Amino acid sequence: MPAPQPSGAYDAVIVGGGHNGLVAAAYLARAGLSVLLLERLDHTGGAAVSSRPFAGVDARLSRYSYLVSLLPRKIVRDLGLDFSLRTRTISSYTPVERAGRATGLLVGGGERRTREAFARLTGSDREYTAWRRLYGLTGRVAERVFPTLTEPLPGRDELRRRIDDEDAWRMLFEEPVGVAIEDHFADDLVRGVVLTDALIGTFADAHDPSLKQNRCFLYHVIGGGTGDWDVPVGGMGALTGALADAARAAGAVLATGHEAVRVDSDGHGCEVVYRTADGEGVAAARHVLVGASPRELAALTGDTPPPSAEGAQLKVNMLLKRLPRLRDRSVDPREAFAGTFHIAEGYDQLATAYAQAAAGEPPSAPPSEIYCHSLTDPSILGPELTERGYQTLTLFGLHTPARLFADDHDAVRDELLERTLAQLDAQLAEPLADCLATDAEGRPCLEVRTPLDLDRDLGLPGGNIFHRELSWPYAQEGTGRWGVETRHPGVLLCGAGAVRGGGVSGVPGHNAAMAVLEQSGH
């Protein structure tokens, strides 16, 4: 590992080697600036990494984040990344029991097939027509909003003019998204499938007056200008590996095992004090870009910390010997699990789970969604596992806020895991436990992470995968030109907590780099 150079040697020091820090490092180094990146852990990648979590098993899972939608192709092109995505042929499958019969809603596989699936579930074409109308509207918004994410922040009125659709503006930006969902759809299951896009990593009710569920919904439907969520070939670590390669190739120094402990700025320059296993050091720079959370930024600069953030998800990684058979025999498990498999996510079920968790009780029927990476991209499995038909499953549980785990973490974690898997088992024709692979020590290949685990392991405040509540993608008081500026001269926020941050996007890293290059006259 190259050692940091003496003080005063760098145009930019980047704190944090997650994907946004790597994006910023690559852009700045390619522009000819000298760049040092300091990463606390012994590897770069942050929450966008692949690892082998099961002893003696050749399966590289995207351990934390797992799908890509918000990463602009512009960044991939600009940085010449050796990285690709694959589109999932199935968008989602949601099982349900109706009139004592196991059935469900499969979205994908072509327009005709999707229309027929809606008709079988609901008895008419009404819900499918409404579905097309709603997502036609969000598609038009996506085409107009997504390109702005890598531009200077538009004003609120400017963004409204660009969208040029008052119905869409009202639905997404002014009234709770629950209103639009209830206006468009009558079927409880269809309503629930739509609402889930507003709840990923966000603890809220459909009618929350803060509209934080709207902001989450917006970011989930605008990705790539289409709203598609794609599979990273080789796993999420393939993306951050490509970013690290691009940054190094451009000349950036990536120093792992270097923990930043203080950032000082006097208006003329900045200094970063860092700690290694061998002691402390100091790196001076014209600019400091912090890819960590706003909480960590405040700790580094001595500022008052921002309001507490809270994550609300249970993350479970699994490896299976085979995909389980479904109670709904009309659907092939390979299709059902290739898209997003919704569990206990009817509209009323989501409302009940939220109310229980808000009252401090673990949901009795925890909602979750699952998908199988290896169906779309088997390269993450070793040849022997692939030949034997092994598959991965990634489960993302909703409405499990960090507060639930505060008093007895392990007991609540185990209870929620048991309840979550019971909801899945209720839709299967065989127990999931019978399908789980075992590791070299005979243990089931199942790994679970709570919000508090994510806080401890990755520094995500309260386990919030967005670092704090998502922001609207337009300028507000104090947001600055690019949405990355801080009150400290020369210090920028380039992580998910920036305006237009959140998700695996690289957008804050790009925007912080653009701000530096503008200030530097590049």
Side-chain angles (χ1 to χ4, degrees):
M1 176 60 60
Q5 299 173 23
S7 299
Y10 296 96
D11 294 311
V13 171
I14 297 172
V15 176
H19 79 284
N20 280 307
L22 293 169
V23 166
Y27 269 106
L28 294 177
R30 285 169 65 90
L33 277 63
S34 57
V35 178
L36 168 67
L37 182 146
L38 304 172
E39 168 53 47
R40 170 179 63 92
L41 300 176
D42 63 0
H43 60 273
T44 57
V49 293
S50 298
S51 61
R52 292 182 172 86
F54 309 123
V57 180
D58 189 10
R60 283 182 60 82
L61 278 63
S62 296
R63 199 167 195 176
Y64 302 109
S65 56
Y66 48 96
L67 291 172
V68 176
S69 176
L70 290 164
L71 175 68
R73 297 302 173 99
K74 174 187 188 315
I75 292 177
V76 177
R77 290 193 304 269
D78 286 352
L79 301 183
L81 301 183
D82 182 13
F83 170 74
S84 60
L85 298 166
R86 286 185 188 160
T87 301
R88 300 183 295 173
T89 56
I90 301 298
S91 176
S92 69
Y93 170 71
T94 311
V96 70
E97 185 172 305
R98 295 265 168 101
R101 180 175 63 89
T103 184
L105 178 64
L106 186 74
V107 179
E111 181 178 344
R112 177 179 175 181
R113 193 175 180 198
T114 301
R115 180 189 293 110
E116 291 172 348
F118 272 89
R120 277 196 306 272
L121 178 72
T122 67
S124 76
D125 285 336
R126 180 193 180 281
E127 297 293 85
Y128 178 71
T129 300
W131 179 279
R132 289 292 303 272
R133 184 168 63 251
L134 176 70
Y135 285 105
L137 179 149
T138 63
R140 292 188 294 275
V141 171
E143 291 173 354
R144 291 163 172 79
V145 173
F146 191 69
T148 72
L149 299 188
T150 49
E151 300 171 358
L153 271 171
R156 185 176 188 273
D157 290 342
E158 179 186 351
L159 188 65
R160 187 171 186 168
R161 286 193 298 271
R162 287 183 72 153
I163 290 173
D164 192 27
D165 185 328
E166 286 304 305
D167 288 340
W169 182 266
R170 183 184 68 256
M171 182 187 88
L172 294 172
F173 293 84
E174 293 187 346
E175 62 186 21
V177 71
V179 174
I181 292 173
E182 292 169 18
D183 284 348
H184 277 76
F185 305 105
D187 188 90
D188 177 83
L189 191 73
V190 178
R191 286 178 171 182
V193 172
V194 177
L195 180 60
T196 58
D197 278 342
L199 303 178
I200 302 298
T202 300
F203 186 56
D205 180 72
H207 291 277
D208 194 307
S210 74
L211 302 188
K212 60 183 176 180
Q213 74 280 23
N214 286 48
R215 297 192 291 276
C216 183
F217 185 82
L218 178 69
Y219 282 101
H220 274 85
V221 299
I222 65 171
T226 64
D228 291 336
W229 285 80
D230 295 331
V231 175
V233 176
M236 197 61 76
L239 169 60
T240 48
L243 285 169
D245 289 345
R248 288 192 189 96
V253 176
L254 309 185
T256 57
H258 287 62
E259 180 181 10
V261 295
R262 194 173 76 247
V263 172
D264 296 318
S265 168
D266 62 5
H268 302 286
C270 305
E271 285 189 342
V272 181
V273 179
Y274 60 85
R275 181 185 301 126
T276 71
D278 300 322
E280 286 194 349
V282 178
R286 295 171 59 194
H287 306 275
V288 174
L289 288 69
V290 178
S293 69
R295 181 186 70 182
E296 181 62 19
L297 172 64
L300 290 170
T301 57
D303 288 344
T304 301
S308 297
E310 183 179 41
Q313 66 285 321
L314 193 74
K315 180 70 161 51
V316 185
N317 294 313
M318 295 172 271
L319 180 68
L320 308 185
K321 295 177 291 186
R322 66 180 185 279
L323 291 176
R325 292 177 287 111
L326 304 176
R327 289 184 59 217
D328 179 5
R329 297 185 179 182
S330 70
V331 178
D332 185 335
R334 294 180 65 86
E335 289 192 311
F337 286 104
T340 301
F341 191 114
H342 296 280
I343 300 294
E345 291 191 333
Y347 199 65
D348 288 345
Q349 288 174 306
L350 289 167
T352 298
Y354 172 78
Q356 290 174 336
E361 296 294 329
S364 55
S368 63
E369 39 201 59
I370 304 168
Y371 101 106
C372 176
H373 183 117
S374 52
L375 284 171
T376 304
D377 170 34
S379 70
I380 64 170
L381 299 179
E384 182 182 353
L385 296 183
T386 302
E387 184 177 340
R388 293 165 62 184
Y390 279 47
Q391 303 287 356
T392 63
L393 281 190
T394 294
L395 182 149
F396 194 95
L398 307 183
H399 289 339
T400 56
R403 69 190 78 167
L404 298 180
F405 302 90
D407 294 332
D408 194 344
H409 177 272
D410 291 359
V412 173
R413 177 200 61 204
D414 293 347
E415 179 183 8
L416 275 168
L417 177 62
E418 180 179 357
R419 292 181 182 182
T420 298
L421 296 183
Q423 292 301 308
L424 173 58
D425 273 348
Q427 308 301 332
L428 304 179
E430 57 182 325
L432 179 70
D434 290 353
C435 302
L436 280 171
T438 53
D439 67 13
E441 300 176 9
R443 298 172 300 196
C445 290
L446 184 150
E447 176 191 59
V448 58
R449 289 289 183 269
T450 69
L452 297 188
D453 290 329
L454 298 184
D455 194 332
R456 181 195 65 237
D457 297 344
L458 299 173
L460 304 182
N464 192 301
I465 60 175
F466 306 130
H467 289 186
R468 60 180 171 187
E469 300 295 351
L470 290 166
S471 61
W472 295 114
Y474 54 70
Q476 297 157 72
E477 184 178 355
T479 54
R481 173 171 162 78
W482 286 95
V484 298
E485 295 82 354
T486 76
R487 74 179 190 86
H488 299 278
V491 180
L492 303 173
L493 184 64
C494 72
V499 179
R500 302 180 292 189
V504 178
S505 72
V507 167
H510 169 277
N511 291 345
M514 295 305 106
V516 167
L517 294 177
E518 279 189 352
Q519 294 170 20
S520 303
H522 283 68

